Amino acid sequence: MNFAPPQWITEAAESALKTVAPNHYSHPKGRIRLREAIKSFYEPHFGRTIDVDSEILVTSGANEGMYSVLTAFLEQGDEVIMFEPFFDQYLPSVTFNGGIPIYVPLHPPKNVQGKVTSADWTIDFEELRRAITPRTKIIIVNTPHNPVGKVFHKAELEKIAALAEEYNLLVMADEVYDCLVFDQEHVRIATLPGMWDRTVTVGSAGKSFAATGWRVGWLIGPSSILFPTLAATTRIVFCTNSPLQEAAAAGLEQAKQRKFFDKQLEEYAERRAVLTDTFDQLGMQYTLPEGSYFILLDISNVEFPDDYPFPESVLGRGRDFRACWFIAMEIGVSSIPVSEFYCEEHAEIGEVYARFAFCKDLDTLKAAGERLQGLKKFLKN
């Protein structure tokens, strides 16, 4: 991101710094004001009463919260299912805690005529069932999804939920982009019948309020999951920084009245359109995201010389690494090679794509769009 959080939220941070209590340790569960704000904001979304003492845990960013869940529940050799492409922090968080990652790919559409959306990336549920073994402990469900932008449909979540119940699995629902859903309803797997007791939902003030450096996140779920996780997070970080918890609380308290998330979504939709219009002008295929702030661009028709001076760090990796390096050097626009979000066995799926982020101001995105027009001379007909 290259733009600031809303002024009224940064002012709340400044105000907190000028008072005594927020400059000292908070309770490891999180400051009560923020937990009350989370309760008030999310109860309508979950359709249930949420207890501030036992069903909400503030963490030092969403990533630390997920790490603490894995620390609390994984034993050596336990397996964790993750859908590919996956957020790159999942893998070390699993392996550092003795877990074994099990990869199930989302399948991109083949031979599609016309526009592709993130909904066209699908799960093979028989493949998912085959991935479950007696050692499977947790399944990670990231919706809206990074990097595909997929917002899992209710029917898909119901099938995942049925497998979780059948095999007694915990579900870690990474929903940090829940405020960035463009084209459909965001369904929370924890709200499906029987799923509250086995699901921990992950949220993020950084993603919600354009304040990723604040490192304030939260977990919502049953006490049976959050109490062990509290024990882990207390030893890992003890508590999350206090003044920025106060600011995050102010954000949630005032968001509805200010219609903040509605306005923010409109702004992100405009940013998304800058990139999609650019790709349309180039005649390139891409996946239109229904959520998050990423677009996957099909770069299979980008040509570059075999003898181009690629660095050692790129050589030996997937073709997408070379294509992204080439685009960065020749066009001046950076992107992420998507095979980085796959295991070696499935990396060829990702080699077709580059991930472009539109969490930038409009001027930056428009400048990038102008530069990207230079790709035309490198595209195969």
Side-chain angles (χ1 to χ4, degrees):
M1 291 181 179
N2 69 340
F3 48 88
Q7 184 177 348
W8 49 278
I9 295 179
T10 57
E11 287 175 350
E14 293 170 3
S15 176
L17 286 168
K18 294 175 182 176
T19 56
V20 175
N23 284 284
H24 297 287
Y25 293 126
S26 294
H27 193 288
K29 292 180 183 178
R31 296 185 67 76
I32 187 60
R33 179 184 175 188
L34 178 52
R35 284 184 282 136
E36 290 281 6
I38 293 168
K39 169 186 170 70
S40 177
F41 185 85
Y42 281 98
E43 280 183 341
H45 294 271
F46 283 87
R48 63 181 298 127
T49 300
I50 301 174
D51 186 272
V52 294
D53 288 319
S54 63
E55 297 177 332
I56 296 170
L57 176 60
V58 176
T59 59
S60 296
N63 194 37
E64 186 269 317
M66 290 187 280
Y67 187 90
S68 293
V69 171
L70 296 169
T71 299
F73 285 95
L74 289 183
E75 298 180 13
Q76 195 71 31
D78 283 346
E79 294 173 353
V80 178
I81 292 176
M82 55 184 74
F83 293 107
E84 294 175 303
F86 55 82
F87 173 51
D88 54 4
Q89 291 299 309
Y90 296 158
L91 178 57
S93 294
V94 169
T95 57
F96 283 8
N97 284 292
I100 299 172
I102 303 297
Y103 308 101
V104 176
L106 296 173
H107 293 280
K110 295 181 179 179
N111 304 317
V112 173
Q113 300 297 320
K115 301 292 185 182
V116 173
T117 77
S118 54
D120 295 317
W121 290 63
T122 57
I123 303 168
D124 180 334
F125 282 96
E126 284 306 311
E127 186 176 22
L128 176 58
R129 177 181 287 276
R130 292 193 299 270
I132 300 171
T133 77
R135 293 307 307 267
T136 306
K137 176 71 70 68
I138 297 172
I139 182 168
I140 301 174
V141 179
N142 178 203
T143 179
H145 185 275
N146 174 10
V148 173
K150 179 180 177 66
V151 179
F152 283 63
H153 294 173
K154 184 177 182 181
E156 294 171 314
L157 293 173
E158 287 173 338
K159 291 179 181 179
I160 295 170
L163 290 171
E165 289 200 279
E166 180 179 350
Y167 292 98
N168 193 28
L169 307 179
L170 294 179
V171 174
M172 187 158 67
D174 179 357
E175 300 184 7
V176 299
Y177 299 102
D178 59 358
C179 59
L180 293 175
V181 179
F182 299 102
D183 306 308
Q184 63 160 301
E185 177 189 8
H186 173 56
V187 179
R188 300 179 186 277
I189 193 169
T191 65
L192 299 182
M195 290 305 293
W196 170 261
D197 289 334
R198 64 175 68 252
T199 303
V200 57
T201 300
V202 184
S204 166
K207 299 300 191 299
S208 297
F209 299 113
T212 55
W214 288 12
R215 311 311 299 146
V216 177
W218 46 79
L219 306 176
I220 300 172
S223 60
S224 58
I225 296 177
L226 293 197
F227 277 173
T229 303
L230 172 63
T233 195
T234 302
R235 298 279 63 82
I236 294 169
V237 295
F238 181 66
C239 69
T240 297
N241 76 77
S242 300
L244 297 182
Q245 287 192 59
E246 292 290 304
L252 291 175
E253 289 164 356
Q254 299 180 45
K256 185 175 181 180
Q257 176 186 350
R258 293 176 178 269
K259 298 183 179 179
F260 170 72
F261 290 120
D262 293 335
K263 295 174 184 176
Q264 180 174 251
L265 189 62
E266 291 174 1
E267 292 168 354
Y268 270 101
E270 186 177 4
R271 296 181 181 116
R272 180 180 65 164
V274 173
L275 283 188
T276 57
D277 288 349
T278 295
F279 299 146
D280 286 336
Q281 291 164 18
L282 287 166
M284 298 182 74
Q285 186 71 269
Y286 58 87
T287 298
L288 180 69
E290 294 180 317
S292 81
Y293 44 62
F294 305 108
I295 297 177
L296 298 191
L297 177 68
D298 186 330
I299 53 172
S300 57
N301 63 340
V302 175
E303 290 189 315
F304 46 82
D306 292 336
D307 60 352
Y308 192 82
F310 292 110
E312 289 293 329
S313 59
V314 169
L315 295 174
R317 304 297 298 268
R319 185 184 185 278
D320 54 330
F321 275 80
R322 299 194 297 280
C324 288
W325 181 270
F326 181 78
I327 293 170
M329 294 297 101
E330 298 300 320
I331 305 300
V333 179
S334 295
S335 59
I336 302 295
V338 174
S339 67
E340 176 70 6
F341 306 124
Y342 285 85
C343 68
E344 188 173 338
E345 180 184 354
H346 301 146
E348 64 180 13
I349 301 173
E351 286 188 32
V352 178
Y353 302 99
R355 190 193 77 175
F356 287 80
F358 54 93
C359 50
K360 308 293 180 184
D361 63 63
L362 283 174
D363 288 342
T364 299
L365 291 169
K366 289 175 180 177
E370 291 173 3
R371 292 185 181 188
L372 284 165
Q373 294 305 315
L375 266 180
K376 286 180 180 177
K377 59 179 176 287
F378 300 114
L379 299 179
K380 289 187 294 186
N381 293 327

